[in-house]
Amino acid sequence: MTSPHEQNGQCVPDVFDAECSARHALELISGKWSVLILTALAEAPRRNGALLRRIGGISQKMLTQTLKDLERNGLVERHDLRTVPLHVEYRLSALGSSLSATLIALDRWAERNFPELDAARARHDAARLGPVAQTDS
Amino acid sequence: MTSPHEQNGQCVPDVFDAECSARHALELISGKWSVLILTALAEAPRRNGALLRRIGGISQKMLTQTLKDLERNGLVERHDLRTVPLHVEYRLSALGSSLSATLIALDRWAERNFPELDAARARHDAARLGPVAQTDS
DNA sequence: CAGGATCCTGGGGGATACTG
DNA sequence: CAGTATCCCCCAGGATCCTG
């Protein structure tokens, strides 16, 4: 069939198309933990424990799970120095590296603009709770 | 207290800090639907129905819900032409516009590199399922 | 140290029907 | 047309315990 996106896997790349693989790619790289893990690995190759310490609020389970997913999709490489005690290091693949600048830009934007978001939210919420009497302080 | 990030709301901006507002900002702007909505609005101001049609796979519920969240945080502006039938238009705020380039870069990366992800995934899965004897169909 | 296996809960998110 | 309200399911993800 000559459908617009050839639903079998090949499609005109479009993140707006729910069936296109590009959408899955986008959801992977913009995932809650993916962004942080990829950014942390962009700073430097890291071990499991180091990642756990670097990324506040992540659980061992989600770290392992997300790392596996990223590795499966070729964004992260797992290097197992077969020693005892175990020593495993994660690093970005070339593909992963090609993404890091954009992800870091995203982080930077959040770090530079969150006060604006906070302020907007405060204003919005204040307006909803008390649309009247805003004459002082 | 002079804790490193002043857990009351003011902190040294760090997305890796689970308590920092920058983290919340990051999670908002990297949300599954947020990215697509913001990108769609970066293309042009749009109405509810237009967004629904533009963004494949989104439900009315998630669209409304995410739009409200984005508006609350000052990234999107809602313009209600008080007509009947109802006519509401959404557009990026200045703050939202300052983010669009990065989000579009993210989309573009996904659209340009998803074949690499697909290939890596295929390789990875093939290796796991049958590391042996892959000579025929 | 890296990470598998299990159990369990909250809420993300779909479907459907209704309203101004 | 642009939403709101309800019901309900499913799974992301935490807590805990166990292994190589």
Side-chain angles (χ1 to χ4, degrees):
Chain A
M1 346 172 72
T2 51
S3 71
H5 63 276
E6 317 259 328
Q7 67 280 37
N8 52 17
Q10 286 300 45
C11 62
V12 41
D14 181 8
V15 292
F16 289 109
D17 182 345
E19 310 306 319
C20 181
S21 272
R23 171 71 78 83
H24 298 122
L26 179 61
E27 288 177 1
L28 175 65
I29 65 180
S30 72
K32 177 180 178 181
W33 298 120
S34 305
V35 176
L36 292 170
I37 292 178
L38 291 173
T39 304
L41 292 179
E43 295 174 344
R46 284 192 152 96
R47 307 179 49 182
N48 186 332
L51 285 169
L52 272 181
R53 268 172 272 114
R54 180 76 180 118
I55 304 173
I58 198 171
S59 65
Q60 172 67 57
K61 180 183 177 182
M62 288 318 295
L63 177 59
T64 304
Q65 189 172 305
T66 310
L67 275 172
K68 278 166 101 171
D69 205 17
L70 293 173
E71 191 205 354
R72 189 165 98 102
N73 286 271
L75 292 171
V76 163
E77 287 166 5
R78 196 188 112 111
H79 291 273
D80 188 340
L81 296 296
R82 311 255 321 182
T83 68
V84 46
L86 245 47
H87 183 116
V88 178
E89 191 172 84
Y90 295 95
R91 61 185 59 185
L92 293 186
S93 68
L95 189 60
S97 295
S98 75
L99 177 61
S100 61
T102 301
L103 291 185
I104 290 174
L106 207 62
D107 296 334
R108 281 279 180 295
W109 191 95
E111 292 176 348
R112 294 183 54 235
N113 297 98
F114 76 92
E116 302 274 348
L117 300 202
D118 289 353
R121 195 172 342 111
R123 258 181 278 120
H124 185 94
D125 293 358
R128 271 198 51 85
L129 290 176
V132 190
Q134 241 60 357
T135 47
D136 64 64
S137 65
Chain B
M1 339 175 76
T2 52
S3 70
H5 62 275
E6 316 258 330
Q7 66 281 34
N8 52 18
Q10 285 301 45
C11 62
V12 40
D14 180 8
V15 291
F16 289 108
D17 182 344
E19 310 306 320
C20 181
S21 272
R23 171 71 79 84
H24 298 120
L26 180 62
E27 289 176 1
L28 175 65
I29 66 179
S30 72
K32 178 180 178 181
W33 298 120
S34 305
V35 176
L36 292 170
I37 292 178
L38 291 172
T39 303
L41 292 179
E43 295 174 344
R46 283 190 153 96
R47 307 178 50 181
N48 186 334
L51 285 169
L52 231 33
R53 268 172 271 115
R54 179 75 180 120
I55 304 173
I58 200 171
S59 65
Q60 172 67 58
K61 179 183 177 183
M62 287 317 296
L63 177 59
T64 304
Q65 188 171 304
T66 309
L67 276 173
K68 277 166 102 171
D69 205 17
L70 293 172
E71 190 205 354
R72 188 166 97 102
N73 286 271
L75 291 171
V76 163
E77 288 166 2
R78 195 187 112 113
H79 291 274
D80 188 341
L81 297 293
R82 312 255 319 181
T83 67
V84 45
L86 245 48
H87 182 116
V88 177
E89 190 172 82
Y90 294 95
R91 60 184 62 185
L92 293 186
S93 67
L95 189 60
S97 295
S98 75
L99 176 61
S100 62
T102 301
L103 291 184
I104 290 173
L106 207 62
D107 296 335
R108 280 281 180 292
W109 191 96
E111 292 176 348
R112 294 183 53 234
N113 297 98
F114 76 91
E116 302 273 348
L117 299 202
D118 289 352
R121 197 174 339 113
R123 258 181 277 119
H124 185 94
D125 293 358
R128 271 199 50 84
L129 290 176
V132 190
Q134 241 57 2
T135 46
D136 62 56
S137 59

